[in-house]
Amino acid sequence: MLLATTVACTSASAGEEEGNEAASPALRWGPCTKESEGDTKKSEGKKRAGPQKGGAGATLQCATLKVPLDYRKPDGRQIEIAVSRLASRKPAQRRGVLLTNPGGPGQSGLGYPAALAGAGLPQKVLDSYDVIGFDPRGMGRSSPVTCDLTPEQQARGNFPAYAYSGGDVAREAKFARTVAQQCASSESAWMLPHTTTANTARDMDRIRAALGESEISYLGTSYGTWLGAVYATLFPERGDRIVLDSSLGPGGYDATAFRLLARGMKDRFPDFAAFAAGKPEYGLGSTPRQVKAKFRELAERLDRKPVGGVDGTLFRAITLEEMFVEGKLPELAEIWQALDKGKPPSGGPPAAENDNAPAGRHYVICADSRWSKKIGHYQRTAAHDRRRYPMLGGSTGSITPCAFWPRKGIEKPVQVQVSDRGPENVLMVQNARDPGTPLAGARKLRQALGDRARMVLVDQGGHGVYPFGGSTCANDATTAFLTTGKRLAEDRTCPAG
């Protein structure tokens, strides 16, 4: 499938592949609840405008599949994986299944096929495939995990408090340790050693087998690109046509990828600065330089005195997240405008419904790779990144709960050795100024894949290209690849429109 690899964990031997076939009965499809169809709209709508349209006219079917908690003990305890299907309405044109993942980790994917259809996934693709979604293990309706996070802890978001000094990192370490301990003592702690990307990839192969397919095509976005890479590591012969949209680097969602978010902020911010400077009614500055100065002044002011629960760290996080979607730049400008006047943003910080999303994120990224346990290491990285990327580096360079994550029972991480050897069946699509998965990381993956892949680079900002972006050039190339298998002769740069 995607990568020629070496694996430092239990990989899919012929015996395991046969076991997957035998242990995966056919799925029994039934109607989905409105709640399950809406899961992805709630989470994914935060970063892309498309899914907010919903899946009008798209009828999802849902099913549940039992899989092993621990694949090293396939006959042991089982958990449930929630699966959805948007079936092709033209069986004669159907060529297989397109498994999808919207990113995360921590996001539901059950409603993603309907979200894709509602956002304009071309009819050619919908006719060619049964589009498959699923809630990854630990997420949504797939045996959900928790860390018993309080509303106050959830309000902190995914970023450590911005570190201006080594003392700030040491203080953040106390918070990070508390969260890790809560995860390890929660009612779902029995899942902690087994909620990994590798096991989610194994679950994907159980889904494939239950669908009666010998191969799957795949569309993964953001973290979903890494999930696709790990699936390829474990099941190299199972892949057909692979689209990686907004790619992480060759190391997946590790400490390097987390720190790279500060680079993403730097890459993307000029787009917002130009937008705000061109709209004097916002009062944020009349030049991009003045808008950037306003960012620094607001962030430091909110660090000293939060407004409506928004401190400097949350302000930085909101700014990054709102820049994921081009259509949300006006909303971001209004948030800045309110905070600059000492008023909470309209509606205030989002209320936490439960902690499954942040807990699921911790479970996966902390288990997938090893993070330094030394506070001094994070004091150095925070200082380095704060100098290089001052807008966000003092936060993403600092310490997280992963530093204190219990390792007992967790199998060794999958080691993906990216190579240019293997089938030429990969198309990468990437925005030039992506704040969530910066181009710097995607270029490293592209270079490593060599002639196995082609990349379509779109001259625009934002996170996610297909089909949510407005680039006809990029969308047409991706649709052609999925429906005909035709791959570009060489990499291509596309305009935004």
Side-chain angles (χ1 to χ4, degrees):
M1 183 178 155
L2 176 58
L3 308 176
T5 56
T6 59
V7 186
C9 68
T10 306
S11 121
S13 64
E16 181 181 343
E17 291 176 5
E18 292 170 3
N20 268 9
E21 301 283 358
S24 298
L27 293 167
R28 299 179 62 180
W29 298 105
C32 297
T33 65
K34 289 190 179 298
E35 288 79 10
S36 65
E37 291 189 30
D39 282 345
T40 294
K41 297 176 198 176
K42 290 187 288 184
S43 60
E44 195 67 9
K46 295 177 182 178
K47 71 179 184 180
R48 301 189 188 92
Q52 294 176 352
K53 301 176 183 177
T59 302
L60 277 179
Q61 299 169 302
C62 286
T64 301
L65 179 67
K66 290 188 179 297
V67 301
L69 170 68
D70 185 347
Y71 278 90
R72 295 167 295 188
K73 301 175 182 177
D75 296 324
R77 187 171 185 174
Q78 305 287 297
I79 59 173
E80 292 186 341
I81 302 298
V83 186
S84 64
R85 176 177 70 172
L86 184 59
S88 168
R89 296 180 180 179
K90 296 185 178 180
Q93 297 181 26
R94 178 189 179 278
R95 66 174 309 276
V97 299
L98 179 65
L99 199 66
T100 64
N101 180 272
Q107 285 191 21
S108 165
L110 201 62
Y112 198 48
L116 288 165
L121 190 67
Q123 192 62 46
K124 288 182 179 180
V125 177
L126 295 171
D127 291 341
S128 298
Y129 296 96
D130 292 344
V131 184
I132 306 298
F134 70 105
D135 281 353
R137 62 167 54 203
M139 319 303 165
R141 285 164 174 74
S142 294
S143 300
V145 298
T146 180
C147 287
D148 297 325
L149 299 177
T150 67
E152 292 75 21
Q153 287 173 322
Q154 293 183 62
R156 285 282 304 275
N158 293 331
F159 292 153
Y162 194 91
Y164 291 96
S165 67
D168 291 336
V169 176
R171 282 184 287 276
E172 181 67 15
K174 297 178 182 178
F175 176 85
R177 185 189 299 274
T178 297
V179 170
Q181 289 173 342
Q182 286 178 211
C183 295
S185 61
S186 71
E187 63 181 13
S188 62
W190 55 274
M191 286 188 62
L192 187 146
H194 312 293
T195 308
T196 63
T197 298
N199 279 333
T200 299
R202 295 181 178 109
D203 296 340
M204 286 169 53
D205 203 60
R206 289 293 179 105
I207 293 171
R208 175 204 57 78
L211 292 169
E213 301 288 337
S214 59
E215 293 181 324
I216 58 172
S217 290
Y218 182 75
L219 171 59
T221 302
S222 193
Y223 161 77
T225 62
W226 176 242
L227 178 59
V230 174
Y231 181 85
T233 300
L234 298 174
F235 304 96
E237 304 304 319
R238 303 297 198 197
D240 187 9
R241 297 170 186 175
I242 312 303
V243 177
L244 304 182
D245 185 341
S246 309
S247 293
L248 289 166
Y253 202 152
D254 57 4
T256 298
F258 187 61
R259 292 175 63 187
L260 198 59
L261 289 170
R263 168 70 181 270
M265 174 78 95
K266 179 181 179 181
D267 290 347
R268 173 63 164 151
F269 188 80
D271 292 335
F272 173 70
F275 167 82
K279 303 285 184 178
E281 61 268 27
Y282 291 124
L284 303 176
S286 57
T287 66
R289 176 172 294 192
Q290 289 176 351
V291 175
K292 187 172 183 179
K294 175 61 69 175
F295 172 88
R296 182 173 60 252
E297 186 247 316
L298 264 176
E300 293 176 356
R301 189 200 316 169
L302 291 166
D303 274 330
R304 294 189 301 270
K305 186 178 180 181
V307 172
V310 179
D311 62 7
T313 298
L314 185 55
F315 168 71
R316 294 177 178 92
I318 290 171
T319 297
L320 182 72
E321 182 177 295
E322 294 289 299
M323 291 194 301
F324 277 25
V325 181
E326 189 71 18
K328 286 197 170 187
L329 297 188
E331 179 181 315
L332 177 58
E334 291 171 2
I335 291 172
W336 278 37
Q337 188 180 48
L339 292 169
D340 192 34
K341 295 178 180 178
K343 300 177 181 178
S346 177
E353 296 180 9
N354 61 62
D355 77 335
N356 180 238
R361 179 180 178 278
H362 290 320
Y363 273 57
V364 173
I365 69 171
C366 296
D368 269 5
S369 61
R370 294 188 180 276
W371 298 60
S372 175
K373 294 181 177 294
K374 297 180 179 179
I375 294 175
H377 168 82
Y378 296 100
Q379 290 172 325
R380 291 188 294 273
T381 56
H384 175 274
D385 292 0
R386 185 175 63 249
R387 289 191 298 270
R388 191 173 185 187
Y389 305 116
M391 300 184 78
L392 192 62
S395 183
T396 52
S398 190
I399 196 165
T400 76
C402 294
F404 305 103
W405 205 249
R407 304 299 308 181
K408 184 177 180 180
I410 300 176
E411 59 187 272
K412 292 181 180 179
V414 175
Q415 300 297 320
V416 178
Q417 180 182 336
V418 181
S419 168
D420 59 0
R421 299 186 303 274
E424 298 176 357
N425 64 342
V426 183
L427 179 66
M428 298 175 63
V429 289
Q430 179 76 30
N431 286 329
R433 298 177 300 283
D434 187 326
T437 50
L439 179 59
R443 283 198 189 281
K444 290 181 180 179
L445 181 63
R446 172 67 189 92
Q447 182 179 13
L449 285 169
D451 200 46
R452 298 194 58 202
R454 294 290 184 267
M455 176 186 278
V456 176
L457 179 63
V458 187
D459 184 17
Q460 66 185 13
H463 187 52
V465 176
Y466 184 79
F468 305 101
S471 173
T472 301
C473 167
N475 286 342
D476 286 352
T478 309
T479 297
F481 175 68
L482 285 173
T483 55
T484 70
K486 182 180 179 181
R487 201 177 62 149
L488 300 173
E490 57 187 13
D491 289 358
R492 177 181 296 176
T493 297
C494 287

